[in-house]
Amino acid sequence: MKTKISAIAALASCIAVHAATNNFVVNVGEPGARIQPTMYGLFFEDINFAADGGLYGELVKNRSFEFPQNFMGWKILGNVDLKADGPFERNPHYARLSYPGHPGRLTGLENEGYFGIGVKSGEEYRFSVWARAVESDSAKIKVQLVNTASQYTNPVLASAELTADSKEWKKYTVTLTPDKTVDKATLRILLAKPESAIDLEHISLFPVNTWNGHENGLRRDLVELLAAVKPGVLRFPGGCIVEGADLASRYQWKNTVGAVENRPLNENRWNYCHNNRYYPDYFQSYGLGFYEYFLLAEEIGAEPLPILNAGMVCQYQNRPDDQLPLDSIRPFIDDALDLIEFANGDTSTTWGALRADMGHPEPFNMKYLGIGNEQWTEIYPRNLEAFMKYIRAKYPEIKIVGSSGPKSDGKDFDYLWPEMTRLGADLVDEHYYRPEEWFLKQGNRYDDYDRKGPKVFAGEYACHIKGKKENHFRPAILEAAMMTGFERNADIVHMTSYAPLFAHVEGWQWRPDLIWFDNLRSMPTSSYHVQKLYGNYKGTRILPLTMNDSPVSGADGQNGLFASAVIDDDANTVIVKVVNTGNEKQEIDIKFNGLEKGRKILHGKVISLTSVDPGDENTLDNPNRIKPVTSSIEVKDESYITRVDGNSFHVYVFDL
Ligand code: AHR
């Protein structure tokens, strides 16, 4: 009933038209600052099962038996033992499958995957395992994908046999092709010659069809959504996981590179972070590690921006001042120096050689490095100063991103910004998860920032409407409005990214998020479409745009309108973004000044994001309820007059 009423109200508001025409003037003849290629980016954070169980294509949970409960995620049939002297030093556990004690019984293992294993009919899945025969020269397993939900029909979706032909550890692979699409299958492994025991380690199952076909690859549909944003920068690997719950569980990039089999498991600090959403099986296999992040950034055309621990423990989960003394943080600084060598060093260097061994002899050409996620108190600038001293001395070309703490303003923010200026950070990362009222007042946020200090990285932001944390349409409109202010201030705002990026519908700890998925499907939110429109129409230089001689920033008297304009020198277009945050339909008249003599703007297109009800949202069952719609436009008499619905976002692309 409530939905119906709000839909009717929204419809009524769309029909009502605000009386006055809003006169916009775009000065095409006076392009301003260059829009940085990094302007609209992505922030990947391993929260909400975004990595293991999400972007990372691995379908087996606890593949190396290293979870604290070693068989978590596995069901044991018959005679299975845990052993701890396996071939991989940092993941020593493995399973031994032996004779079940009776010819009629079975020995085997079943893996439940992450909220089940999603498989598609006719698609290939690569099963791999490290194995050895125990007593005899060969041992055999049967590998199956099973539809455990199927009670009446044959539950086996695909089946294959695999022989271990040696008493030495070896990697074996077999391909499974299920004949049905099932979102919650299980992987079953049975001892096929019951009298011949077998040892199994690093049991893995990947779709063959990963993004770009990489073996240790990423889920294709999810990367395609990322690539479609045309992101200029990719920040990784988090967020709070950079700090961990304590120093031992902080993110350590060196543990995430080299052979996947030997990357040690780390707990994910989001597994028990929220009282009402525990995920005791949320760990980081580090299969998606720094090499894979760099590769992803490269393949989607984004600058990589790794964030490293600043030698500090999370100040939310620990006493804020309970930190290491300054003279103990040198290993953290060395990690930063070594990371630059891993990313950019030539192949004669220790870390550059590892990168080459992993398959990428060319440098990743990393230009930016973030030190610290959300830290505060004077300990943070103290540590950052030490990091900067060593990094600047060895790698002066690297641009360093500092932090302004966890809030958009207030005591810590006001302390940290001048500190970042004093230290000479190149960019300062700002975070804001704020309500509607706040976003409506941010149109001018960056207009008065010091132009001589560090540049801005709006590294985590999202509109959180009180009591409604889903990704409905209204917050997306407010984010689009705020982004006009980013764009107008592109001389100082050099990077931005919404947060968080991904969430599994069955495994989230935080919402709203940009992209939701389950085991087989993925869904762009309204906020995603906003990011994508900005990313695809970022232009190359800012153009002045005014309404009554003022920037259109939702100020008093501007009827809830926000707008910005850019020129795209490559595409030869003028792009005007207009957001109507009010409830009423409004008329706007866009005039172009400063066109070269004899030149006229005659046509173009508009891409509009609207929704009948601002409370609507996309869902996995209805992923396209809200999506951009493109139409062509004609300009008459040197001005373009149009009407924009209440709660709507439009990107006008005028051909020059
Ligand atoms: O994005 C969720 C969390 O918000 C991040 O981990 C942290 O940086 C911020 O507090």
Side-chain angles (χ1 to χ4, degrees), residues 201-212:
E201 160 66 315
H202 198 88
I203 302 174
S204 171
L205 182 75
F206 269 87
V208 170
N209 185 18
T210 54
W211 165 259
N212 279 351

Side-chain angles (χ1 to χ4, degrees), residues 43 45 47 239-241 270 316 373-374 431 433 460 499-500 510:
F43 164 45
E45 172 171 22
I47 186 173
C240 291
I241 65 155
W270 293 106
Y316 283 116
N373 170 46
E374 282 179 353
H431 293 180
Y433 300 98
E460 291 186 29
W510 183 295

Side-chain angles (χ1 to χ4, degrees), residues 305-377:
L305 168 53
I307 306 293
L308 295 184
N309 186 296
M312 293 177 75
V313 75
C314 171
Q315 288 167 294
Y316 283 116
Q317 293 209 323
N318 301 270
R319 280 196 302 265
D321 288 329
D322 211 357
Q323 302 290 350
L324 294 172
L326 183 60
D327 59 10
S328 307
I329 67 161
R330 190 55 214 258
F332 295 77
I333 297 173
D334 288 340
D335 278 355
L337 297 172
D338 292 342
L339 177 65
I340 301 170
E341 186 177 294
F342 177 75
N344 296 350
D346 75 50
T347 54
S348 64
T349 62
T350 309
W351 292 100
L354 176 62
R355 183 194 69 239
D357 265 7
M358 292 182 74
H360 203 286
E362 294 306 317
F364 282 118
N365 198 16
M366 172 181 113
K367 301 185 183 76
Y368 303 93
L369 179 60
I371 305 297
N373 170 46
E374 282 179 353
Q375 310 279 191
W376 60 96
T377 74

